[in-house]
C-alpha cells in the first residue's frame, strides 16, 4: 500500500520534541500544542507519520511514548510501578480510555492491585511485605461468604454482625475490604450507594 502524507520539516519536529516531554497525550492536546507552536502551518502536517517521528506509538485518539512496547505495557507500568498509586493524578483523558479501564479491571480481578480508596490502589507487593498474599485475600472472601451474613450488607454492617478476620488488622478503610469482595464475582455482586458499596 502507498499512502501519501505530507512530511513535517526537521525544524518543526525538533521544536515539537522539546515541547512534548510527557509519555501520554490525547490527539486533541497534540493538535493544540501544534497550533500554538505553528499557528500558520498546514494542519495536514500533523499526521500519524509525523507523530511517529516524534517518538510515539499512535492509537485511535491518543499516543504513548515508544519506549513502551504497547499501550497495555504503559497502563500496567503506571498502575503497578509504585506500591501506592493515585490514579487521579494520571494524565487527563487517560481514565476515559477503554483499553486503560480493561487493564485496571484485569489487575484488580487477580488482586495485583486493590482499590483502598476510590481511584487509589495498593499493590499486592506492599501487602506481601507484611505477610499478606492472594490466598489470604481469597480466604477473606470465603469467610465472608460462609459467615451468617444477610443477603444485603456493607463492610460496616458485616463488622457489626460480628465478622472478624486477620486481614482487618491491616487497618484499611471499608473501601479496601469491599474492593476485595467486589472482585469475587462467584459469590458477590454489588451496587455503589453514595460513599459505600452494598
Amino acid at each position: 500500500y502507498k499512502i501519501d502524507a505530507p512530511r513535517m520539516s526537521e525544524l518543526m519536529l525538533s521544536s515539537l520534541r522539546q515541547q512534548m516531554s510527557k509519555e501520554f497525550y490525547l490527539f486533541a492536546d497534540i493538535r493544540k500544542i501544534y497550533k500554538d507552536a505553528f499557528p500558520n502551518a498546514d494542519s495536514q502536517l500533523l499526521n500519524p507519520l509525523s507523530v511517529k517521528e516524534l517518538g510515539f506509538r499512535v492509537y485511535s485518539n491518543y499516543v504513548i511514548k515508544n519506549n513502551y512496547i504497547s499501550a497495555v505495557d504503559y497502563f500496567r507500568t503506571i498502575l503497578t510501578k509504585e506500591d501506592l498509586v493515585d490514579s487521579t493524578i494520571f494524565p487527563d483523558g487517560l481514565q476515559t480510555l477503554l483499553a486503560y479501564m480493561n487493564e485496571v479491571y484485569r489487575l484488580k480481578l487477580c488482586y495485583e492491585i486493590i482499590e483502598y480508596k476510590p481511584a487509589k490502589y495498593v499493590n499486592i507487593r506492599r501487602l506481601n511485605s507484611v505477610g499478606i498474599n492472594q490466598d489470604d485475600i481469597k480466604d477473606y472472601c470465603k469467610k465472608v461468604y460462609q459467615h451468617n451474613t444477610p443477603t444485603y450488607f456493607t463492610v460496616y454492617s458485616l463488622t457489626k454482625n460480628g465478622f472478624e478476620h486477620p486481614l482487618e488488622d491491616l487497618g484499611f478503610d471499608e473501601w479496601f475490604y469491599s474492593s476485595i469482595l467486589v472482585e469475587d464475582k462467584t459469590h458477590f455482586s454489588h451496587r455503589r450507594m453514595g460513599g459505600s458499596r452494598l
Side-chain angles (χ1 to χ4, degrees), residues 76-95:
R76 187 179 299 124
T77 299
I78 63 173
L79 285 163
T80 63
K81 71 178 175 183
E82 302 292 336
D83 285 353
L84 296 174
V85 173
D86 180 357
S87 68
T88 62
I89 63 170
F90 287 172
D92 290 340
L94 181 65
Q95 296 189 48

Side-chain angles (χ1 to χ4, degrees), residues 51-107:
V51 174
K52 284 180 182 178
E53 289 185 310
L54 290 168
F56 291 90
R57 293 188 186 280
V58 180
Y59 297 90
S60 57
N61 62 340
Y62 63 96
V63 301
I64 290 170
K65 274 282 190 196
N66 63 12
N67 50 320
Y68 295 96
I69 59 171
S70 66
V72 170
D73 180 38
Y74 169 70
F75 302 145
R76 187 179 299 124
T77 299
I78 63 173
L79 285 163
T80 63
K81 71 178 175 183
E82 302 292 336
D83 285 353
L84 296 174
V85 173
D86 180 357
S87 68
T88 62
I89 63 170
F90 287 172
D92 290 340
L94 181 65
Q95 296 189 48
T96 64
L97 301 177
L98 182 61
Y100 166 80
M101 290 311 301
N102 283 342
E103 188 58 19
V104 170
Y105 294 142
R106 192 194 69 74
L107 291 169

